[in-house]
């Protein structure tokens, strides 16, 4: 996982330098993940290993679902001419991305609850840890809880924005009200000239 998040963070930095609009929280979260999984790598705890293995298994399934969502979104953007072939992803499912986000959101909320529960479990395991390892357990606890809350708030923010955009696109009256007359007239001129 340390290797995965190091590579992911490097790729995201390159994508941001090339104009990608990745939310800042996701990049910060991946730096936190590097620290978290590096600390968990050097700490062997039998009481937490089964729960952590189940968490990793569930998180991997969510990442596969997220891949298909992002690939489908990229396919839609390419088909509409809003993305170039230089965008990083594979061809995906041809479905409405807003509906996919509604489908994926419960899986991610459950993942973030699992992350919070991991922090809670580590908090209760810390007093039983050896004196020299106790700080690692508390740091891992704080990292899991911060990742959980940051992810949850960012997901809620993204879902609200996507819902507002979806509502706007579904209602031509709202589009007419929100666009200025000059923009509408310039769009009309472009359509007539084509």
């Amino acid at each position: 996982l340390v290797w995965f998040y190091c590579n992911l963070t490097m790729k995201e930095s390159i994508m941001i330098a090339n104009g990608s609009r990745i939310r800042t929280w996701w990049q910060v979260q991946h730096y936190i993940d590097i620290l978290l999984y590096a600390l968990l790598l050097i700490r062997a705890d039998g009481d937490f290993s089964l729960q952590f293995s189940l968490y990793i298994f569930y998180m991997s399934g969510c990442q596969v679902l997220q891949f298909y969502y992002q690939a489908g979104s990229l396919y839609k953007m390419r088909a509409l001419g809003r993305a170039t072939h230089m965008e990083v992803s594979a061809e995906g499912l041809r479905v409405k991305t807003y509906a996919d986000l509604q489908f994926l959101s419960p899986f991610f909320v459950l993942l973030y609850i699992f992350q919070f529960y991991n922090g809670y479990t580590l908090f209760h395991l810390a007093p039983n840890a050896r004196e020299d390892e106790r700080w690692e357990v508390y740091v891992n606890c704080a990292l899991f809880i911060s990742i959980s809350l940051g992810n949850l708030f960012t997901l809620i923010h993204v879902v609200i924005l996507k819902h507002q955009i979806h509502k706007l696109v579904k209602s031509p009256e709202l589009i007419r009200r929100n666009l200025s007359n000059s923009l509408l007239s310039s769009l009309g001129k472009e359509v007539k000239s084509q």
Side-chain angles (χ1 to χ4, degrees):
L1 285 174
V2 174
W3 176 83
F4 171 75
Y5 281 109
C6 284
N7 281 319
L8 185 62
T9 304
M10 286 188 291
K11 288 177 185 177
E12 285 175 345
S13 297
I14 292 168
M15 290 171 64
I16 288 171
N18 289 329
S20 182
R21 295 179 296 159
I22 297 170
R23 294 206 174 274
T24 306
W25 165 251
W26 300 123
Q27 192 172 25
V28 169
Q29 185 241 336
H30 293 145
Y31 284 112
I32 294 172
D33 282 337
I34 292 168
L35 177 63
L36 172 67
Y37 297 127
L39 285 173
L40 286 171
L41 184 65
I42 61 174
R43 185 184 186 297
D45 187 0
D47 295 336
F48 186 64
S49 59
L50 177 63
Q51 180 176 329
F52 185 69
S53 297
L54 290 173
Y55 163 72
I56 295 300
F57 181 74
Y58 185 76
M59 183 177 69
S60 300
C62 287
Q63 287 175 341
V64 169
L65 291 174
Q66 183 179 14
F67 165 77
Y68 282 114
Y69 166 74
Q70 289 175 335
S73 296
L74 182 58
Y75 178 83
K76 179 181 175 185
M77 289 174 63
R78 283 182 184 168
L80 295 172
R82 295 183 189 153
T84 66
H85 290 286
M86 292 300 291
E87 298 288 336
V88 179
S89 187
E91 300 300 322
L93 304 172
R94 299 174 192 166
V95 292
K96 292 191 279 186
T97 58
Y98 178 69
D100 283 348
L101 184 61
Q102 287 178 320
F103 172 75
L104 287 177
S105 294
F107 291 102
F108 284 109
V109 168
L110 188 59
L111 178 66
Y112 305 151
I113 290 170
F114 205 158
Q115 289 171 341
F116 191 86
Y117 182 68
N118 284 344
Y120 175 81
T121 301
L122 286 170
F123 182 77
H124 286 287
L125 289 175
N128 300 331
R130 288 190 347 228
E131 181 97 19
D132 59 333
E133 292 180 351
R134 195 166 295 148
W135 71 270
E136 292 175 17
V137 180
Y138 282 121
V139 168
N140 286 335
C141 166
L143 292 175
F144 264 120
I145 289 174
S146 65
I147 288 171
S148 168
L149 296 176
N151 284 341
L152 186 62
F153 291 134
T154 304
L155 177 68
I156 290 169
H157 180 69
V158 167
V159 168
I160 288 170
L161 286 177
K162 295 280 185 181
H163 179 69
Q164 289 172 345
I165 291 169
H166 181 72
K167 224 166 66 172
L168 183 68
V169 170
K170 286 287 195 178
S171 173
E173 271 186 47
L174 285 175
I175 293 174
R176 278 188 224 111
R177 269 190 267 149
N178 290 327
L179 291 176
S180 67
N181 289 335
S182 62
L183 182 59
L184 284 174
S185 63
S186 68
L187 286 174
K189 290 175 188 174
E190 288 178 17
V191 171
K192 288 178 184 176
S193 65
Q194 292 177 358

